[in-house]
PDB file of all heavy atoms in Angstrom:
ATOM      1  N   LYS A   1       0.805  -1.188  -0.013  1.00  0.00           N
ATOM      2  CA  LYS A   1      -0.011  -0.027  -0.007  1.00  0.00           C
ATOM      3  C   LYS A   1       0.865   1.250   0.000  1.00  0.00           C
ATOM      4  O   LYS A   1       1.927   1.303   0.594  1.00  0.00           O
ATOM      5  CB  LYS A   1      -0.890   0.038   1.236  1.00  0.00           C
ATOM      6  CG  LYS A   1      -1.933  -1.093   1.256  1.00  0.00           C
ATOM      7  CD  LYS A   1      -2.726  -1.039   2.538  1.00  0.00           C
ATOM      8  CE  LYS A   1      -3.723  -2.225   2.607  1.00  0.00           C
ATOM      9  NZ  LYS A   1      -4.390  -2.234   3.932  1.00  0.00           N
ATOM     10  N   ALA A   2       0.324   2.300  -0.652  1.00  0.00           N
ATOM     11  CA  ALA A   2       0.941   3.576  -0.581  1.00  0.00           C
ATOM     12  C   ALA A   2       0.670   4.217   0.780  1.00  0.00           C
ATOM     13  O   ALA A   2      -0.304   3.775   1.483  1.00  0.00           O
ATOM     14  CB  ALA A   2       0.373   4.505  -1.693  1.00  0.00           C
ATOM     15  N   PRO A   3       1.407   5.170   1.256  1.00  0.00           N
ATOM     16  CA  PRO A   3       1.184   5.788   2.571  1.00  0.00           C
ATOM     17  C   PRO A   3      -0.231   6.348   2.737  1.00  0.00           C
ATOM     18  O   PRO A   3      -0.821   6.241   3.808  1.00  0.00           O
ATOM     19  CB  PRO A   3       2.249   6.914   2.600  1.00  0.00           C
ATOM     20  CG  PRO A   3       3.357   6.432   1.755  1.00  0.00           C
ATOM     21  CD  PRO A   3       2.636   5.677   0.623  1.00  0.00           C
ATOM     22  N   ILE A   4      -0.734   6.944   1.687  1.00  0.00           N
ATOM     23  CA  ILE A   4      -2.099   7.450   1.763  1.00  0.00           C
ATOM     24  C   ILE A   4      -3.167   6.395   1.977  1.00  0.00           C
ATOM     25  O   ILE A   4      -4.140   6.604   2.711  1.00  0.00           O
ATOM     26  CB  ILE A   4      -2.435   8.347   0.489  1.00  0.00           C
ATOM     27  CG1 ILE A   4      -3.806   9.094   0.719  1.00  0.00           C
ATOM     28  CG2 ILE A   4      -2.536   7.451  -0.703  1.00  0.00           C
ATOM     29  CD1 ILE A   4      -3.731  10.127   1.825  1.00  0.00           C
ATOM     30  N   ALA A   5      -2.879   5.179   1.390  1.00  0.00           N
ATOM     31  CA  ALA A   5      -3.811   4.064   1.599  1.00  0.00           C
ATOM     32  C   ALA A   5      -3.752   3.564   3.022  1.00  0.00           C
ATOM     33  O   ALA A   5      -4.785   3.181   3.574  1.00  0.00           O
ATOM     34  CB  ALA A   5      -3.543   2.936   0.572  1.00  0.00           C
ATOM     35  N   LYS A   6      -2.592   3.600   3.628  1.00  0.00           N
ATOM     36  CA  LYS A   6      -2.461   3.203   4.978  1.00  0.00           C
ATOM     37  C   LYS A   6      -3.217   4.149   5.923  1.00  0.00           C
ATOM     38  O   LYS A   6      -3.797   3.736   6.900  1.00  0.00           O
ATOM     39  CB  LYS A   6      -0.995   3.120   5.382  1.00  0.00           C
ATOM     40  CG  LYS A   6      -0.237   1.978   4.643  1.00  0.00           C
ATOM     41  CD  LYS A   6       1.257   1.964   5.049  1.00  0.00           C
ATOM     42  CE  LYS A   6       1.999   0.849   4.302  1.00  0.00           C
ATOM     43  NZ  LYS A   6       3.459   0.815   4.646  1.00  0.00           N
ATOM     44  N   LYS A   7      -3.163   5.416   5.591  1.00  0.00           N
ATOM     45  CA  LYS A   7      -3.942   6.417   6.408  1.00  0.00           C
ATOM     46  C   LYS A   7      -5.461   6.122   6.255  1.00  0.00           C
ATOM     47  O   LYS A   7      -6.157   6.228   7.268  1.00  0.00           O
ATOM     48  CB  LYS A   7      -3.585   7.833   5.920  1.00  0.00           C
ATOM     49  CG  LYS A   7      -2.214   8.347   6.225  1.00  0.00           C
ATOM     50  CD  LYS A   7      -2.015   8.550   7.699  1.00  0.00           C
ATOM     51  CE  LYS A   7      -0.601   9.092   8.012  1.00  0.00           C
ATOM     52  NZ  LYS A   7      -0.413   9.268   9.483  1.00  0.00           N
ATOM     53  N   ALA A   8      -5.875   5.865   5.114  1.00  0.00           N
ATOM     54  CA  ALA A   8      -7.290   5.559   4.887  1.00  0.00           C
ATOM     55  C   ALA A   8      -7.726   4.328   5.690  1.00  0.00           C
ATOM     56  O   ALA A   8      -8.823   4.313   6.257  1.00  0.00           O
ATOM     57  CB  ALA A   8      -7.572   5.325   3.388  1.00  0.00           C
ATOM     58  N   ASP A   9      -6.878   3.340   5.747  1.00  0.00           N
ATOM     59  CA  ASP A   9      -7.190   2.111   6.519  1.00  0.00           C
ATOM     60  C   ASP A   9      -7.251   2.417   8.014  1.00  0.00           C
ATOM     61  O   ASP A   9      -8.026   1.818   8.755  1.00  0.00           O
ATOM     62  CB  ASP A   9      -6.176   1.043   6.250  1.00  0.00           C
ATOM     63  CG  ASP A   9      -6.385   0.337   4.899  1.00  0.00           C
ATOM     64  OD1 ASP A   9      -7.425   0.635   4.289  1.00  0.00           O
ATOM     65  OD2 ASP A   9      -5.526  -0.421   4.460  1.00  0.00           O
ATOM     66  N   GLN A  10      -6.382   3.341   8.450  1.00  0.00           N
ATOM     67  CA  GLN A  10      -6.433   3.747   9.900  1.00  0.00           C
ATOM     68  C   GLN A  10      -7.795   4.401  10.175  1.00  0.00           C
ATOM     69  O   GLN A  10      -8.364   4.156  11.247  1.00  0.00           O
ATOM     70  CB  GLN A  10      -5.253   4.682  10.188  1.00  0.00           C
ATOM     71  CG  GLN A  10      -3.903   3.993  10.212  1.00  0.00           C
ATOM     72  CD  GLN A  10      -2.800   4.985  10.367  1.00  0.00           C
ATOM     73  OE1 GLN A  10      -3.013   6.173  10.548  1.00  0.00           O
ATOM     74  NE2 GLN A  10      -1.525   4.479  10.337  1.00  0.00           N
ATOM     75  N   VAL A  11      -8.261   5.223   9.271  1.00  0.00           N
ATOM     76  CA  VAL A  11      -9.564   5.863   9.439  1.00  0.00           C
ATOM     77  C   VAL A  11     -10.644   4.820   9.466  1.00  0.00           C
ATOM     78  O   VAL A  11     -11.557   4.869  10.298  1.00  0.00           O
ATOM     79  CB  VAL A  11      -9.800   6.947   8.348  1.00  0.00           C
ATOM     80  CG1 VAL A  11     -11.232   7.471   8.432  1.00  0.00           C
ATOM     81  CG2 VAL A  11      -8.779   8.045   8.444  1.00  0.00           C
ATOM     82  N   SER A  12     -10.585   3.881   8.544  1.00  0.00           N
ATOM     83  CA  SER A  12     -11.654   2.842   8.431  1.00  0.00           C
ATOM     84  C   SER A  12     -11.710   2.026   9.687  1.00  0.00           C
ATOM     85  O   SER A  12     -12.794   1.498  10.015  1.00  0.00           O
ATOM     86  CB  SER A  12     -11.393   1.973   7.221  1.00  0.00           C
ATOM     87  OG  SER A  12     -10.290   1.059   7.444  1.00  0.00           O
ATOM     88  N   GLY A  13     -10.590   1.882  10.405  1.00  0.00           N
ATOM     89  CA  GLY A  13     -10.563   1.084  11.627  1.00  0.00           C
ATOM     90  C   GLY A  13     -11.451   1.636  12.710  1.00  0.00           C
ATOM     91  O   GLY A  13     -11.991   0.930  13.555  1.00  0.00           O
ATOM     92  N   ILE A  14     -11.623   2.969  12.731  1.00  0.00           N
ATOM     93  CA  ILE A  14     -12.461   3.609  13.746  1.00  0.00           C
ATOM     94  C   ILE A  14     -13.751   4.172  13.175  1.00  0.00           C
ATOM     95  O   ILE A  14     -14.609   4.605  13.940  1.00  0.00           O
ATOM     96  CB  ILE A  14     -11.672   4.776  14.466  1.00  0.00           C
ATOM     97  CG1 ILE A  14     -11.316   5.865  13.436  1.00  0.00           C
ATOM     98  CG2 ILE A  14     -10.415   4.219  15.154  1.00  0.00           C
ATOM     99  CD1 ILE A  14     -10.728   7.101  14.063  1.00  0.00           C
ATOM    100  N   PHE A  15     -13.870   4.145  11.867  1.00  0.00           N
ATOM    101  CA  PHE A  15     -15.011   4.737  11.205  1.00  0.00           C
ATOM    102  C   PHE A  15     -16.377   4.115  11.672  1.00  0.00           C
ATOM    103  O   PHE A  15     -17.287   4.806  12.075  1.00  0.00           O
ATOM    104  CB  PHE A  15     -14.857   4.627   9.683  1.00  0.00           C
ATOM    105  CG  PHE A  15     -16.068   5.135   8.941  1.00  0.00           C
ATOM    106  CD1 PHE A  15     -16.227   6.509   8.690  1.00  0.00           C
ATOM    107  CD2 PHE A  15     -17.029   4.302   8.389  1.00  0.00           C
ATOM    108  CE1 PHE A  15     -17.295   7.001   7.973  1.00  0.00           C
ATOM    109  CE2 PHE A  15     -18.108   4.775   7.728  1.00  0.00           C
ATOM    110  CZ  PHE A  15     -18.237   6.162   7.497  1.00  0.00           C
ATOM    111  N   VAL A  16     -16.419   2.780  11.614  1.00  0.00           N
ATOM    112  CA  VAL A  16     -17.647   2.089  11.924  1.00  0.00           C
ATOM    113  C   VAL A  16     -18.095   2.341  13.355  1.00  0.00           C
ATOM    114  O   VAL A  16     -19.254   2.720  13.610  1.00  0.00           O
ATOM    115  CB  VAL A  16     -17.579   0.599  11.595  1.00  0.00           C
ATOM    116  CG1 VAL A  16     -18.811  -0.146  12.038  1.00  0.00           C
ATOM    117  CG2 VAL A  16     -17.373   0.381  10.071  1.00  0.00           C
ATOM    118  N   PRO A  17     -17.245   2.070  14.370  1.00  0.00           N
ATOM    119  CA  PRO A  17     -17.700   2.297  15.753  1.00  0.00           C
ATOM    120  C   PRO A  17     -18.073   3.760  16.051  1.00  0.00           C
ATOM    121  O   PRO A  17     -18.996   4.065  16.790  1.00  0.00           O
ATOM    122  CB  PRO A  17     -16.510   1.843  16.625  1.00  0.00           C
ATOM    123  CG  PRO A  17     -15.340   1.732  15.695  1.00  0.00           C
ATOM    124  CD  PRO A  17     -15.927   1.436  14.336  1.00  0.00           C
ATOM    125  N   VAL A  18     -17.341   4.650  15.365  1.00  0.00           N
ATOM    126  CA  VAL A  18     -17.746   6.097  15.572  1.00  0.00           C
ATOM    127  C   VAL A  18     -19.107   6.407  14.991  1.00  0.00           C
ATOM    128  O   VAL A  18     -19.911   7.090  15.662  1.00  0.00           O
ATOM    129  CB  VAL A  18     -16.649   7.013  14.862  1.00  0.00           C
ATOM    130  CG1 VAL A  18     -17.149   8.429  14.745  1.00  0.00           C
ATOM    131  CG2 VAL A  18     -15.326   7.001  15.638  1.00  0.00           C
ATOM    132  N   ILE A  19     -19.408   5.839  13.856  1.00  0.00           N
ATOM    133  CA  ILE A  19     -20.747   6.085  13.247  1.00  0.00           C
ATOM    134  C   ILE A  19     -21.819   5.461  14.129  1.00  0.00           C
ATOM    135  O   ILE A  19     -22.895   6.094  14.324  1.00  0.00           O
ATOM    136  CB  ILE A  19     -20.781   5.480  11.762  1.00  0.00           C
ATOM    137  CG1 ILE A  19     -19.885   6.234  10.866  1.00  0.00           C
ATOM    138  CG2 ILE A  19     -22.214   5.513  11.249  1.00  0.00           C
ATOM    139  CD1 ILE A  19     -20.185   7.690  10.730  1.00  0.00           C
ATOM    140  N   ILE A  20     -21.600   4.294  14.648  1.00  0.00           N
ATOM    141  CA  ILE A  20     -22.572   3.642  15.568  1.00  0.00           C
ATOM    142  C   ILE A  20     -22.786   4.508  16.795  1.00  0.00           C
ATOM    143  O   ILE A  20     -23.935   4.755  17.242  1.00  0.00           O
ATOM    144  CB  ILE A  20     -22.102   2.216  15.951  1.00  0.00           C
ATOM    145  CG1 ILE A  20     -22.106   1.297  14.718  1.00  0.00           C
ATOM    146  CG2 ILE A  20     -22.984   1.652  17.013  1.00  0.00           C
ATOM    147  CD1 ILE A  20     -21.594  -0.104  15.003  1.00  0.00           C
ATOM    148  N   GLY A  21     -21.696   5.072  17.293  1.00  0.00           N
ATOM    149  CA  GLY A  21     -21.754   5.949  18.483  1.00  0.00           C
ATOM    150  C   GLY A  21     -22.548   7.188  18.199  1.00  0.00           C
ATOM    151  O   GLY A  21     -23.412   7.631  18.990  1.00  0.00           O
ATOM    152  N   ILE A  22     -22.321   7.798  17.047  1.00  0.00           N
ATOM    153  CA  ILE A  22     -23.026   9.035  16.648  1.00  0.00           C
ATOM    154  C   ILE A  22     -24.549   8.732  16.500  1.00  0.00           C
ATOM    155  O   ILE A  22     -25.372   9.541  16.911  1.00  0.00           O
ATOM    156  CB  ILE A  22     -22.447   9.567  15.341  1.00  0.00           C
ATOM    157  CG1 ILE A  22     -21.019  10.129  15.574  1.00  0.00           C
ATOM    158  CG2 ILE A  22     -23.332  10.739  14.783  1.00  0.00           C
ATOM    159  CD1 ILE A  22     -20.314  10.575  14.341  1.00  0.00           C
ATOM    160  N   ALA A  23     -24.866   7.559  15.939  1.00  0.00           N
ATOM    161  CA  ALA A  23     -26.268   7.192  15.778  1.00  0.00           C
ATOM    162  C   ALA A  23     -26.982   7.055  17.093  1.00  0.00           C
ATOM    163  O   ALA A  23     -28.061   7.530  17.306  1.00  0.00           O
ATOM    164  CB  ALA A  23     -26.419   5.883  14.967  1.00  0.00           C
ATOM    165  N   LEU A  24     -26.277   6.431  18.036  1.00  0.00           N
ATOM    166  CA  LEU A  24     -26.851   6.289  19.429  1.00  0.00           C
ATOM    167  C   LEU A  24     -27.039   7.664  20.093  1.00  0.00           C
ATOM    168  O   LEU A  24     -28.091   7.917  20.726  1.00  0.00           O
ATOM    169  CB  LEU A  24     -25.943   5.399  20.320  1.00  0.00           C
ATOM    170  CG  LEU A  24     -25.955   3.900  19.914  1.00  0.00           C
ATOM    171  CD1 LEU A  24     -24.866   3.179  20.714  1.00  0.00           C
ATOM    172  CD2 LEU A  24     -27.343   3.266  20.165  1.00  0.00           C
ATOM    173  N   ILE A  25     -26.057   8.522  19.969  1.00  0.00           N
ATOM    174  CA  ILE A  25     -26.151   9.833  20.572  1.00  0.00           C
ATOM    175  C   ILE A  25     -27.305  10.644  19.912  1.00  0.00           C
ATOM    176  O   ILE A  25     -28.079  11.273  20.585  1.00  0.00           O
ATOM    177  CB  ILE A  25     -24.832  10.588  20.379  1.00  0.00           C
ATOM    178  CG1 ILE A  25     -23.746   9.959  21.245  1.00  0.00           C
ATOM    179  CG2 ILE A  25     -25.002  12.111  20.778  1.00  0.00           C
ATOM    180  CD1 ILE A  25     -22.353  10.501  20.979  1.00  0.00           C
ATOM    181  N   THR A  26     -27.437  10.534  18.580  1.00  0.00           N
ATOM    182  CA  THR A  26     -28.501  11.198  17.854  1.00  0.00           C
ATOM    183  C   THR A  26     -29.887  10.747  18.407  1.00  0.00           C
ATOM    184  O   THR A  26     -30.761  11.598  18.673  1.00  0.00           O
ATOM    185  CB  THR A  26     -28.423  10.871  16.375  1.00  0.00           C
ATOM    186  OG1 THR A  26     -27.175  11.372  15.855  1.00  0.00           O
ATOM    187  CG2 THR A  26     -29.576  11.559  15.621  1.00  0.00           C
ATOM    188  N   PHE A  27     -30.043   9.429  18.596  1.00  0.00           N
ATOM    189  CA  PHE A  27     -31.313   8.927  19.077  1.00  0.00           C
ATOM    190  C   PHE A  27     -31.595   9.461  20.510  1.00  0.00           C
ATOM    191  O   PHE A  27     -32.677   9.930  20.823  1.00  0.00           O
ATOM    192  CB  PHE A  27     -31.273   7.425  19.095  1.00  0.00           C
ATOM    193  CG  PHE A  27     -32.508   6.744  19.716  1.00  0.00           C
ATOM    194  CD1 PHE A  27     -33.688   6.662  19.021  1.00  0.00           C
ATOM    195  CD2 PHE A  27     -32.436   6.260  21.028  1.00  0.00           C
ATOM    196  CE1 PHE A  27     -34.808   6.102  19.606  1.00  0.00           C
ATOM    197  CE2 PHE A  27     -33.524   5.690  21.659  1.00  0.00           C
ATOM    198  CZ  PHE A  27     -34.720   5.588  20.879  1.00  0.00           C
ATOM    199  N   ILE A  28     -30.614   9.414  21.352  1.00  0.00           N
ATOM    200  CA  ILE A  28     -30.769   9.873  22.746  1.00  0.00           C
ATOM    201  C   ILE A  28     -31.100  11.345  22.844  1.00  0.00           C
ATOM    202  O   ILE A  28     -32.004  11.770  23.584  1.00  0.00           O
ATOM    203  CB  ILE A  28     -29.543   9.497  23.588  1.00  0.00           C
ATOM    204  CG1 ILE A  28     -29.346   7.983  23.705  1.00  0.00           C
ATOM    205  CG2 ILE A  28     -29.550  10.143  24.961  1.00  0.00           C
ATOM    206  CD1 ILE A  28     -28.029   7.587  24.277  1.00  0.00           C
ATOM    207  N   VAL A  29     -30.388  12.118  22.043  1.00  0.00           N
ATOM    208  CA  VAL A  29     -30.607  13.614  22.113  1.00  0.00           C
ATOM    209  C   VAL A  29     -32.033  13.928  21.660  1.00  0.00           C
ATOM    210  O   VAL A  29     -32.697  14.772  22.276  1.00  0.00           O
ATOM    211  CB  VAL A  29     -29.568  14.354  21.238  1.00  0.00           C
ATOM    212  CG1 VAL A  29     -29.929  15.812  21.062  1.00  0.00           C
ATOM    213  CG2 VAL A  29     -28.164  14.231  21.885  1.00  0.00           C
ATOM    214  N   TRP A  30     -32.512  13.331  20.541  1.00  0.00           N
ATOM    215  CA  TRP A  30     -33.834  13.663  20.120  1.00  0.00           C
ATOM    216  C   TRP A  30     -34.910  13.240  21.081  1.00  0.00           C
ATOM    217  O   TRP A  30     -35.965  13.876  21.263  1.00  0.00           O
ATOM    218  CB  TRP A  30     -34.126  13.035  18.697  1.00  0.00           C
ATOM    219  CG  TRP A  30     -33.486  13.801  17.558  1.00  0.00           C
ATOM    220  CD1 TRP A  30     -32.540  13.371  16.720  1.00  0.00           C
ATOM    221  CD2 TRP A  30     -33.817  15.154  17.193  1.00  0.00           C
ATOM    222  NE1 TRP A  30     -32.205  14.367  15.857  1.00  0.00           N
ATOM    223  CE2 TRP A  30     -33.011  15.452  16.091  1.00  0.00           C
ATOM    224  CE3 TRP A  30     -34.684  16.116  17.657  1.00  0.00           C
ATOM    225  CZ2 TRP A  30     -33.010  16.671  15.437  1.00  0.00           C
ATOM    226  CZ3 TRP A  30     -34.719  17.333  17.045  1.00  0.00           C
ATOM    227  CH2 TRP A  30     -33.912  17.624  15.923  1.00  0.00           C
TER     228      TRP A  30
END
């Protein structure tokens, strides 16, 4: 992988749990 692809993979590693967390916060706030 190129360095930029490695950075993208680092983001993908936390992307899913972050999105799930944001969804839960959105539900609770409303």
